[in-house]
Amino acid sequence: MRIFFILAFAGLGGILVPLSLKAQGSNHTANPSYNDGPYIFYENGQVLARWTTKEGLQEKAIHAGQPLEIDAGTSASFDPSYLDVNDSFQASSKTAFNGVEHIAAVSDIHGQYDLLLDLLKAHRIIDESGNWAFGEGHLVVLGDIFDRGDEVTDLLWFVHNLEKQAEKANGQVHYLLGNHEIMALQGDLRYIHKKYRYTMARMGMPYNELFGENTYLGRWLRSKPVAISINKTAFVHAGFSEALLDQKLSFADMNQAFQEKIIGQLEDSIVADPILGLLYSEYGPVWYRGYFDEGFAKWQAQAILSKIRKKHIIVGHTSFSEIVSLFRNRIIGIDSSIKLGKKGEILLIDKNKFYRGTLDGERIRLK
Ligand code: CA
C-alpha cells in the first residue's frame, strides 16, 4: 500500500519535489519488525529521504516539480505536506513573547508519543485527529523529547508539523532544547532506545549523524532555543543558576551559544572556554537542578527572578509524580514523569493563573 501526497514547497523558487521510488537493497542483519524515519539528508546536491521497515533500508531522492510518493512504513506522524526542504531554519533572535492569553507547557516526554497525544487531546491543545486546536495559544515543549522511549522520531515529526499548524492559527509552538537533545546531537548515546541502535545499523551511521548538520531535522533542531519568556514567565529546561546569571548573559546570548558554539563542537573545546563550559555544565540551563535542593530558599528564587526580570520560571528536568510549585508559583517544575509512559501532566497558564492539567482532562489550580 502506498500513500501519495502533493508537496507544496514554500521556499525560494517554489520548487516542488517528489520522492522517486527507489528502495535500496535490504540490509541482511537483524530484522526487527518496526518502522523508523524518515531521516532526510542533503548530500552532493541531492535531497534523500531514508527510513527503515522490516524489509530493510528504504531510500528515495526528493526531486523538484513532482508529487511526493512515499511508502507507508514511515513514522505515522510524518506528513510530507509539512515538509519544506528549502527551509534554512534560521534561529530566531526573538526570545520574549508578550500578550499571550493561553499558554500550555509540557516537558521530558522521552519518546512517549502516544501519552503526549492523550495529554494534549485531554486539554484541547490538539483535536481528536491530532491537529492544532489551541488557536492563538502558545505551547511550550520544554525539552527532552529524545532518549529512553521508542517514539522519538514520531515526536519530532509531530512537533515539526504542529509548529506549522499553530503558526497558521496565529498560535505558536516553542520547542526548547533539553539536555537529551544536546546529548543526542553531541553523540552521547547512553540513553537511546535499542530500536535506534537498529536504525543506526541500517543507516550505517551513528545516531547523531541522523541529526547532523546536513539533515533536515538536524538543521531544525539547531535552530531551537534553550530559554524564552512568554509574558512574565521564563521557560528553560532545567534552570538558571546564580553562577550562570552572574555572567549577565541574555536569553539570546544563551541560545546563540548553544546553537553556534556548543552543538556539534568537541567537548574539550567547549569546556576550555569558561562561559561555554559553564553553559554546558551542571550549572547550565539544560542541566541545573538547584531549585529542588532542600536548602533552596525563597529569597534565592526571588533574587534569580529579579535578575532575569520575570515573575515565574517554568522548568522540567527534575522528575516528580505531578507538577510542583515552589514559593507560590515563583518556580514551577513540570517534569511529571511522562517518561515512565503511564501518566503525566501539562501546565496550563490562563490570564496568569496556573493549573495542573491531568490526563483525564481535570484542571487543578496551583497556588
Ligand atoms: Ca532533562
Side-chain angles (χ1 to χ4, degrees):
M1 193 178 117
R2 288 202 186 108
I3 305 168
F4 294 84
F5 295 95
I6 302 293
L7 269 189
F9 278 69
L12 284 172
I15 306 161
L16 275 162
V17 187
L19 286 172
S20 71
L21 176 64
K22 196 179 175 198
Q24 193 133 306
S26 62
N27 180 331
H28 295 290
T29 56
N31 202 23
S33 57
Y34 72 88
N35 302 327
D36 185 30
Y39 299 89
I40 293 170
F41 299 85
Y42 299 86
E43 281 178 13
N44 306 317
Q46 275 192 301
V47 187
L48 299 169
R50 296 190 184 115
W51 66 102
T52 64
T53 68
K54 63 180 192 292
E55 279 79 40
L57 178 65
Q58 313 292 320
E59 180 184 271
K60 286 178 186 173
I62 301 180
H63 296 299
Q66 291 164 48
L68 174 68
E69 174 196 308
I70 195 161
D71 289 275
T74 56
S75 160
S77 61
F78 175 69
D79 179 342
S81 64
Y82 293 100
L83 192 63
D84 177 4
V85 295
N86 294 318
D87 197 329
S88 57
F89 294 121
Q90 289 299 313
S92 173
S93 56
K94 184 172 177 179
T95 60
F97 302 83
N98 293 301
V100 181
E101 282 189 30
H102 303 287
I103 304 166
V106 64
S107 192
D108 297 79
I109 301 153
H110 285 303
Q112 300 291 339
Y113 171 60
D114 295 329
L115 185 51
L116 177 70
L117 290 197
D118 289 346
L119 198 49
L120 296 179
K121 284 176 189 174
H123 294 278
R124 300 289 303 157
I125 310 297
I126 59 173
D127 65 20
E128 284 306 308
S129 312
N131 296 310
W132 183 255
F134 200 36
E136 296 183 4
H138 285 213
L139 170 66
V140 182
V141 178
L142 202 48
D144 283 9
I145 278 179
F146 278 87
D147 286 340
R148 306 186 198 279
D150 64 354
E151 298 170 320
V152 172
T153 320
D154 312 75
L155 279 162
L156 294 171
W157 285 117
F158 168 72
V159 172
H160 167 272
N161 300 346
L162 201 64
E163 272 184 3
K164 301 202 173 193
Q165 293 180 350
E167 205 174 309
K168 264 194 169 170
N170 292 320
Q172 198 159 343
V173 175
H174 305 273
Y175 174 19
L176 273 61
L177 300 170
N179 58 306
H180 284 270
E181 276 75 23
I182 303 300
M183 289 164 77
L185 293 169
Q186 294 296 83
D188 181 341
L189 309 184
R190 282 175 291 166
Y191 296 94
I192 66 171
H193 190 277
K194 65 173 187 257
K195 165 178 172 178
Y196 299 111
R197 298 203 184 270
Y198 290 122
T199 300
M200 282 165 50
R202 287 268 172 78
M203 299 275 184
M205 60 179 69
Y207 192 61
N208 48 307
E209 285 185 23
L210 302 173
F211 304 99
E213 278 181 60
N214 66 331
T215 69
Y216 182 84
L217 289 175
R219 291 178 183 180
W220 178 67
L221 287 162
R222 281 165 175 73
S223 71
K224 299 303 177 202
V226 296
I228 61 162
S229 68
I230 306 176
N231 304 339
K232 293 285 181 194
T233 301
F235 293 84
V236 63
H237 178 67
F240 307 107
S241 65
E242 288 159 281
L244 176 63
L245 294 176
D246 285 345
Q247 302 302 323
K248 304 197 185 317
L249 302 173
S250 66
F251 289 4
D253 293 336
M254 295 182 206
N255 295 340
Q256 200 179 9
F258 273 88
Q259 290 153 353
E260 295 176 11
K261 295 178 180 164
I262 292 179
I263 294 170
Q265 303 303 314
L266 294 173
E267 195 161 303
D268 287 352
S269 77
I270 296 168
V271 300
D273 179 292
I275 300 287
L276 298 179
L278 181 61
L279 286 164
Y280 199 64
S281 78
E282 62 187 311
Y283 296 97
V286 302
W287 284 105
Y288 184 60
R289 294 190 195 272
Y291 300 160
F292 302 101
D293 287 349
E294 212 166 301
F296 186 78
K298 184 175 167 183
W299 69 266
Q300 289 173 293
Q302 277 170 324
I304 286 169
L305 285 162
S306 86
K307 278 185 185 167
I308 61 169
R309 298 200 199 99
K310 297 294 166 201
K311 292 197 165 151
H312 315 274
I313 301 174
I314 313 301
V315 298
H317 189 56
T318 304
S319 302
F320 299 93
S321 60
E322 59 186 46
I323 290 174
V324 295
S325 170
L326 296 180
F327 317 122
R328 296 175 66 87
N329 297 339
R330 283 180 174 82
I331 294 173
I332 297 177
I334 67 166
D335 175 357
S336 52
S337 299
I338 291 172
K339 66 184 175 188
L340 301 177
K342 302 272 190 267
K343 62 187 185 73
E345 295 185 341
I346 185 167
L347 179 73
L348 303 162
I349 311 175
D350 280 342
K351 300 188 176 74
N352 216 35
K353 293 187 175 69
F354 295 76
Y355 304 86
R356 292 164 47 206
T358 68
L359 198 53
D360 55 17
E362 203 185 341
R363 292 162 69 114
I364 301 161
R365 179 90 182 264
L366 281 163
K367 289 183 179 171

